[in-house]
């Protein structure tokens, strides 16, 4: 890792067209969270659903926690027609985006309160398609830089993070502005969001498919398995077994062999713990803002537009820090900031809908989101083997998403049943949730420093 690289030289990385593609696909990755997250929560709230029901509606995000189960298919399966036209990564991205668009259009034409189960099913469709899209997008980002360009990893992470927040927060602000216009209702908003989805889909054709020796590695691994199975009289069966072994077994075998079983398990545990507190906050944030007394326009100004812009700025500043001082130190700083951010919201719960406190909380939260995402994206990318980039990233990211999705779905139950609606205590609890991951990070720091050193030695 270069310690002497000037700021000007570092920012020259962002002129690389490949990183611009990473930014655009980051937008495509963040945008579905608008469709089934913040906007859906606001729509459900306006329809009079309880906090517990709104929280449980978020169970559909569980798809992001288990997408590693089908991630090997994204590395190995070639989509008929689309593969020859777009290549492995882009074909899967476009395929998944088609289902996201379909789900959005169907939601727009739905009577939500009369068809709540159908709405949940459509949100699940969008979540599964989006979670699968993320596998291909993350693999695209890892594959797009060669192993000799690991010095650009934090820059790529910054582009992915700023892209995600542009899709989630900047594009996500528009629906809340629209919702405060008397002549526009939530179905109209979803038709508009469908149009945005079409524009994002068109960007697939602008990007270039990354070059990779992945298929050659897979072919060699299959050859080795076929040689071991040569004694079998059922040649077709041997071919199927060899394909399954390379597709399903080898990605996980390679990960544990590369890091060692103990270190691999420690890494998985840290990734799982890191963002649980932030996830509980995020799931209930829109409900909290509306209950405290902020309008849809204020939510758009601060939580969407403000958070998005601040996060994008801090994403680039965070990437500079991570590049210069290391990803592990970046994780420590972002963890402390996460706890501080949650305490700011506790303050708002006590003080009421004061805009200056809202603005302060958004600045701290934007810093937290940026630094934690840049550090975590770069960290997980560092752990991936390029021959199985889709599977490895999905496995690691899904653990982080487990707390962010499935567990946080019970955030409404926590605030309603456990805390009797005490928002201030709820946010204090989410701040304390950060501490176990920081303790764990400190205990394994020396091994992580070694992994980071070895990663940058390749560049």
């Amino acid at each position: 890792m270069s310690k002497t690289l000037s700021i000007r030289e570092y920012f020259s990385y962002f002129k690389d067209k490949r990183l611009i593609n990473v930014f655009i696909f980051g937008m495509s990755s963040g945008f579905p969270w608008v469709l089934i997250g913040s906007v859906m929560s606001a729509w459900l709230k306006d329809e009079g659903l309880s906090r517990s029901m709104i929280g449980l509606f978020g169970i559909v995000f569980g798809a992001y926690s288990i997408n590693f189960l089908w991630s090997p298919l994204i590395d190995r399966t070639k989509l008929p027609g689309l593969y020859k036209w777009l290549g492995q990564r882009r074909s899967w991205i476009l395929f998944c985006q088609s289902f996201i668009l379909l789900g959005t259009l169907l939601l727009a034409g739905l009577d939500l309160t009369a068809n709540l189960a159908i709405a949940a099913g459509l949100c699940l469709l969008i979540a599964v398609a989006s979670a699968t899209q993320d596998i291909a997008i993350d693999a695209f980002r890892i594959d797009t830089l060669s192993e000799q360009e690991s010095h650009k990893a934090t820059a790529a992470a910054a582009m992915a993070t700023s892209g995600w927040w542009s899709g989630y927060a900047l594009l996500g602000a528009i629906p809340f502005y629209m919702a405060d216009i008397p002549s526009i209702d939530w179905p109209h908003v979803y038709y508009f969001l469908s149009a945005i989805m079409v524009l994002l889909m068109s960007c697939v054709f602008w990007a270039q498919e990354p070059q990779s020796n992945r298929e050659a590695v897979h072919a060699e691994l299959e050859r080795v398995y076929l040689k071991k199975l040569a004694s079998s009289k059922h040649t077709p069966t041997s071919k199927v077994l060899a394909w399954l072994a390379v597709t399903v077994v080898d990605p996980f075998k390679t990960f544990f062999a590369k890091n060692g079983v103990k270190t691999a398990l420690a890494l998985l545990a840290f990734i799982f713990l890191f963002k649980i507190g932030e996830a509980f906050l995020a799931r209930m944030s829109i409900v909290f803002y509306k209950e405290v007394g902020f309008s849809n326009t204020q939510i758009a100004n601060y939580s969407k537009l403000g958070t998005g812009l601040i996060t994008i700025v801090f994403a680039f500043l965070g990437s500079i820090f991570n590049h210069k001082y290391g990803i592990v130190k970046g994780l420590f700083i972002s963890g402390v900031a996460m706890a501080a951010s949650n305490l700011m919201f506790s303050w708002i719960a006590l003080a009421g809908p004061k805009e200056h406190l809202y603005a302060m909380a958004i600045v701290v939260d934007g810093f937290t989101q940026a630094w934690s995402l840049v550090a975590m994206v770069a960290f997980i990318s560092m752990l991936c083997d390029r021959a199985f980039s889709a599977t490895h990233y999905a496995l690691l990211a899904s653990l982080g998403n487990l707390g962010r999705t499935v567990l946080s779905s019970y955030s409404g139950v926590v605030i309603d049943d456990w805390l009797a609606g005490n928002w201030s205590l709820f946010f204090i609890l989410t701040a304390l949730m950060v501490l176990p991951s920081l303790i764990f990070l400190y205990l394994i720091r020396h091994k992580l420093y070694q992994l980071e050193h070895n990663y940058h030695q390749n560049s």
Side-chain angles (χ1 to χ4, degrees):
M1 175 168 45
S2 174
K3 303 284 187 179
T4 59
L5 189 73
S6 71
I7 299 298
R8 183 175 182 180
E9 288 174 313
Y10 181 74
F11 274 99
S12 69
Y13 294 166
F14 297 107
K15 297 177 182 178
D16 190 330
K17 181 186 173 183
R18 296 172 300 170
L19 296 192
I20 297 174
N21 292 335
V22 168
F23 175 85
I24 294 172
F25 283 144
M27 291 180 66
S28 298
S29 183
F31 185 66
W33 288 72
V34 175
L35 305 174
I36 57 177
S38 56
V39 174
M40 180 55 63
S41 293
W43 190 1
L44 292 170
K45 180 64 181 176
D46 285 351
E47 294 293 337
L49 273 76
S50 69
R51 289 175 294 205
S52 296
M53 179 60 72
I54 295 171
L56 290 172
F57 214 81
I59 287 176
V60 298
F61 284 99
Y64 291 88
S65 303
I66 60 171
N67 64 353
F68 71 93
L69 294 175
W70 60 87
S71 60
L73 297 176
I74 314 304
D75 269 330
R76 303 285 327 267
T77 305
K78 297 177 175 61
L79 295 172
L82 287 177
Y83 172 78
K84 290 185 178 179
W85 184 24
L86 298 171
Q88 184 73 0
R89 301 310 186 198
R90 291 188 301 154
S91 62
W92 271 101
I93 293 170
L94 185 65
F95 179 72
C96 295
Q97 288 177 340
S98 301
F99 285 95
I100 296 171
L101 175 62
L102 174 64
T104 308
L105 286 169
L106 291 175
L107 279 173
L110 199 66
D111 181 342
L112 189 65
T113 51
N115 300 281
L116 204 58
I118 295 175
L122 291 173
C123 287
L124 180 60
L125 170 68
I126 294 172
V128 172
S130 176
T132 307
Q133 173 197 232
D134 282 2
I135 299 170
I137 286 175
D138 292 327
F140 177 95
R141 185 189 67 255
I142 294 168
D143 292 351
T144 206
L145 297 176
S146 70
E147 291 188 31
Q148 289 70 42
E149 294 178 298
S150 64
H151 54 282
K152 292 185 177 182
T154 54
M159 292 296 270
T161 300
S162 57
W164 196 95
W165 275 93
S166 294
Y168 174 69
L170 300 190
L171 293 180
I174 301 172
F176 286 92
Y177 287 123
M178 294 176 68
D180 273 351
I181 299 174
S183 59
I184 294 179
D185 56 21
W186 288 112
H188 291 133
V189 169
Y190 270 82
Y191 279 120
F192 175 78
L193 295 176
S194 300
I196 293 179
M197 194 63 226
V198 171
L199 291 176
L200 291 173
M201 291 173 69
S202 68
C203 295
V204 172
F205 304 102
W206 184 75
Q208 297 248 336
E209 182 73 7
Q211 295 182 346
S212 173
N213 67 340
R214 179 180 59 256
E215 291 188 19
V217 173
H218 293 168
E220 176 58 22
L221 289 171
E222 276 195 43
R223 187 191 66 77
V224 172
Y225 278 111
L226 285 170
K227 187 176 180 180
K228 291 179 180 178
L229 295 167
S231 58
S232 172
K233 296 180 181 179
H234 305 287
T235 305
T237 305
S238 298
K239 288 182 178 179
V240 171
L241 289 174
W243 188 89
L244 286 173
V246 175
T247 303
V248 179
V249 178
D250 272 359
F252 301 99
K253 179 181 173 183
T254 302
F255 176 74
F256 282 93
K258 177 182 177 182
N259 299 295
V261 175
K262 287 185 179 180
T263 300
L265 291 174
L267 291 168
L268 296 176
F270 164 70
I271 292 168
F272 168 72
L273 291 169
F274 189 59
K275 302 192 79 173
I276 290 179
E278 182 187 32
F280 268 74
L281 182 150
R283 185 63 202 158
M284 281 289 106
S285 60
I286 297 298
V287 178
F288 168 68
Y289 299 143
K290 292 177 80 69
E291 286 194 10
V292 167
F294 293 112
S295 68
N296 286 323
T297 298
Q298 286 175 311
I299 293 171
N301 285 338
Y302 292 102
S303 286
K304 293 300 181 181
L305 194 60
T307 299
L309 291 173
I310 291 167
T311 302
I312 290 169
V313 171
F314 278 121
F316 290 105
L317 294 177
S319 73
I320 295 171
F321 179 93
N322 289 328
H323 183 85
K324 187 173 180 61
Y325 298 107
I327 296 168
V328 179
K329 289 186 177 69
L331 288 170
F332 271 115
I333 290 175
S334 60
V336 173
M338 265 192 277
S341 171
N342 292 10
L343 292 175
M344 285 292 299
F345 289 102
S346 182
W347 189 3
I348 294 175
L350 293 172
K354 299 184 183 300
E355 283 199 59
H356 69 282
L357 290 181
Y358 197 179
M360 288 170 58
I362 290 306
V363 171
V364 177
D365 192 49
F367 170 82
T368 298
Q369 297 281 1
W371 279 57
S372 61
L373 276 173
V374 169
M376 187 56 80
V377 168
F379 177 66
I380 295 177
S381 300
M382 177 179 73
L383 301 176
C384 295
D385 188 302
R386 289 175 179 273
F388 304 103
S389 52
T391 306
H392 281 181
Y393 197 94
L395 170 65
L396 297 168
S398 65
L399 281 168
N401 285 328
L402 183 61
R404 187 181 177 187
T405 55
V406 176
L407 296 182
S408 66
S409 297
Y410 294 96
S411 54
V413 175
V414 172
I415 183 67
D416 275 346
D417 299 342
W418 295 9
L419 303 176
N422 189 326
W423 283 109
S424 180
L425 190 56
F426 173 76
F427 290 122
I428 291 173
L429 179 63
T430 62
L432 294 175
M433 287 179 181
V434 179
L435 297 180
S437 67
L438 292 179
I439 294 170
F440 210 95
L441 181 62
Y442 180 78
L443 293 175
I444 63 173
R445 68 192 185 285
H446 295 303
K447 184 62 180 178
L448 298 183
Y449 286 137
Q450 185 60 47
L451 286 172
E452 189 174 9
H453 175 74
N454 293 340
Y455 176 67
H456 288 291
Q457 285 291 98
N458 294 326
S459 61

